[in-house]
Amino acid sequence: MAEGKMSLPSHFYGRSAIEVARDLLGKILVHQTKEGVTSGKIVETESYLPFNDPACHAARGKTKRNYVMFGKPGRSYVYFIYGNYYCLNAVCEKEGTPAAVLIRALEPQEGISLMQKRRKVKEIKNLCSGPGKLCQALGIKREENDQDLTKGNLVIKPGEEGRVKIIARPRIGIEAGSDKLLRFYIEGSAFISKP
DNA sequence: GACCAGATTGTCT
DNA sequence: GACAATCTGGTCA
């Protein structure tokens, strides 16, 4: 497909989770399924760092669940949480380093009617305003785990870079690492999970 | 083999 | 604003 040419190169992900999280804002996440194409602009992300980060799934070492984070950058890490929802991460840094960026919110673009059908809600701002919501809206399931984000059905493409104002904030409720700004979002977006 | 905790969301007050 | 719902994976015995 032509998407391979359009999508972000793998070296985009070969940097720190903080750099990648910041640069992912304004990019376009596209998922092609047999039902149709859904896409949205990334408006909120969160970084998960290697072993210094207690909140990271990989903080205690490599497991069957988080092995993807130890793999090559530019791949997707999808996990099931709280019995009902999935969360989508983009693996970054380098192979052997468990770093990833959580995609927290999207601004819907293509396939909005399909998202509304999947989510069973009408309001566009409610379609992707959260990690679990956007996965449901884009139809991201366990099958999308460990996919190559530079090619294939699930890709991230460049968007309106430089035209957005980025806000960095510490994550809430986590003491260790609170001195670092690990949550990023686009100022003024109505589609983020938190104001 | 059993128990515990979790990167959330939806619904009720 | 607060709390329950619901399941998978990891840790411990």
Side-chain angles (χ1 to χ4, degrees):
Chain A
M1 292 293 181
E3 274 69 23
K5 207 171 183 179
M6 299 270 300
S7 60
L8 295 172
S10 58
H11 65 72
F12 175 89
Y13 304 96
R15 297 175 291 159
S16 75
I18 294 177
E19 292 289 317
V20 176
R22 192 167 49 204
D23 287 351
L24 275 179
L25 291 176
K27 299 297 189 296
I28 310 299
L29 177 66
V30 184
H31 189 210
Q32 296 185 43
T33 67
K34 56 185 177 183
E35 297 175 277
V37 178
T38 47
S39 68
K41 182 171 69 176
I42 299 172
V43 296
E44 186 178 358
T45 61
E46 194 166 304
S47 302
Y48 285 86
L49 307 176
F51 303 97
N52 290 333
D53 187 358
C56 183
H57 285 176
R60 288 193 171 190
K62 188 176 181 179
T63 66
K64 181 182 176 183
R65 181 201 215 176
N66 64 26
Y67 75 96
V68 180
M69 277 199 285
F70 291 80
K72 294 179 181 177
R75 301 191 73 86
S76 62
Y77 171 43
V78 178
Y79 67 92
F80 197 58
I81 190 89
Y82 289 102
N84 290 335
Y85 303 102
Y86 296 94
C87 290
L88 172 64
N89 298 251
V91 178
C92 37
E93 291 274 345
K94 57 190 176 184
E95 192 166 1
T97 303
V101 175
L102 171 68
I103 311 296
R104 292 193 60 87
L106 298 179
E107 178 181 328
Q109 296 202 327
E110 292 180 83
I112 290 180
S113 61
L114 181 56
M115 293 184 191
Q116 291 171 327
K117 180 184 173 184
R118 284 172 175 156
R119 293 269 302 120
K120 295 174 183 175
V121 296
K122 291 182 180 178
E123 278 192 275
I124 294 180
K125 64 180 181 182
N126 282 341
L127 289 176
C128 299
S129 57
K133 294 180 184 178
L134 71 91
C135 287
Q136 191 175 5
L138 295 201
I140 295 174
K141 305 177 292 293
R142 178 171 286 160
E143 287 74 44
E144 275 67 34
N145 187 37
D146 198 19
Q147 298 293 305
D148 195 333
L149 291 174
T150 65
K151 60 185 177 182
N153 294 329
L154 185 62
V155 297
I156 298 178
K157 302 195 295 189
E160 24 181 316
E161 306 178 50
R163 298 189 58 184
V164 295
K165 185 173 183 180
I166 296 172
I167 304 296
R169 286 206 50 185
R171 288 182 305 190
I172 302 170
I174 298 177
E175 294 184 21
S178 62
D179 55 323
K180 294 181 180 180
L181 303 177
L182 298 177
R183 182 190 293 264
F184 303 92
Y185 61 91
I186 295 178
E187 183 183 50
S189 175
F191 301 95
I192 59 177
S193 57
K194 285 186 178 182

